[in-house]
Amino acid sequence: LKEVQNDKSSDSSLLGLLIGAFSGRVRVTQRVKDLEEAIEKCFPLNIYTYNMLLRRLSMSEMDLACELFNRMCQRGYEPNRWTYDILVHGFFKHGRKVEARRWAEEMFQKGFDLTERTQLLI
């Protein structure tokens, strides 16, 4: 956040956006690109931060989660077991079983297994 502190008008809004997004107070679906940029200013973007964003998106909007997955891959980040599991779990939770199975198949092809929690959901 030190690098962002020069712009005093955005300090509180940036911090508020981050806190709100991960506490559930801000709907991530409305401001995904803003949130991604905010995280990048404060923390190094990596697979862990992308997985956190995917988890939040998967709670409400799977289409945006897929867009974020694609953007993540385009930026050179390699999806891991958790990335795929988040998507499979989200699709099943939203009743989109065909898509969940397609993502699970891709996950298996990459050599990853579902987490126990997602297996219970299936």
Side-chain angles (χ1 to χ4, degrees), residues 32 36 50 53-54 57 64-72:
V32 166
E36 185 180 8
Y50 272 110
L53 279 171
L54 280 172
L57 281 172
L64 287 176
C66 287
E67 286 179 28
L68 182 63
F69 175 87
N70 291 332
R71 193 163 54 249
M72 176 190 84

Side-chain angles (χ1 to χ4, degrees), residues 83-109:
T83 311
Y84 285 105
D85 192 78
I86 289 166
L87 293 171
V88 172
H89 190 97
F91 278 118
F92 269 110
K93 283 287 248 189
H94 289 282
R96 296 168 66 173
K97 295 178 181 180
V98 171
E99 291 165 292
R101 287 187 181 96
R102 185 180 61 80
W103 280 98
E105 184 59 37
E106 183 175 331
M107 180 181 187
F108 300 146
Q109 289 175 359

Side-chain angles (χ1 to χ4, degrees), residues 12-70:
S12 61
S13 62
L14 179 63
L15 185 58
L17 177 64
L18 290 173
I19 293 169
F22 291 107
S23 69
R25 296 187 135 250
V26 173
R27 289 199 64 198
V28 177
T29 59
Q30 297 169 347
R31 302 176 74 181
V32 166
K33 290 181 183 179
D34 292 341
L35 185 59
E36 185 180 8
E37 290 173 12
I39 290 172
E40 193 168 31
K41 288 179 183 177
C42 299
F43 306 101
L45 270 177
N46 58 28
I47 195 65
Y48 179 78
T49 52
Y50 272 110
N51 284 346
M52 287 177 52
L53 279 171
L54 280 172
R55 173 65 74 196
R56 287 295 298 148
L57 281 172
S58 71
M59 292 177 187
S60 58
E61 185 56 58
M62 288 307 300
D63 293 330
L64 287 176
C66 287
E67 286 179 28
L68 182 63
F69 175 87
N70 291 332

Side-chain angles (χ1 to χ4, degrees), residues 1-18:
L1 189 56
K2 285 182 180 180
E3 294 175 21
V4 185
Q5 286 182 351
N6 293 337
D7 182 8
K8 295 292 182 195
S9 64
S10 70
D11 284 354
S12 61
S13 62
L14 179 63
L15 185 58
L17 177 64
L18 290 173

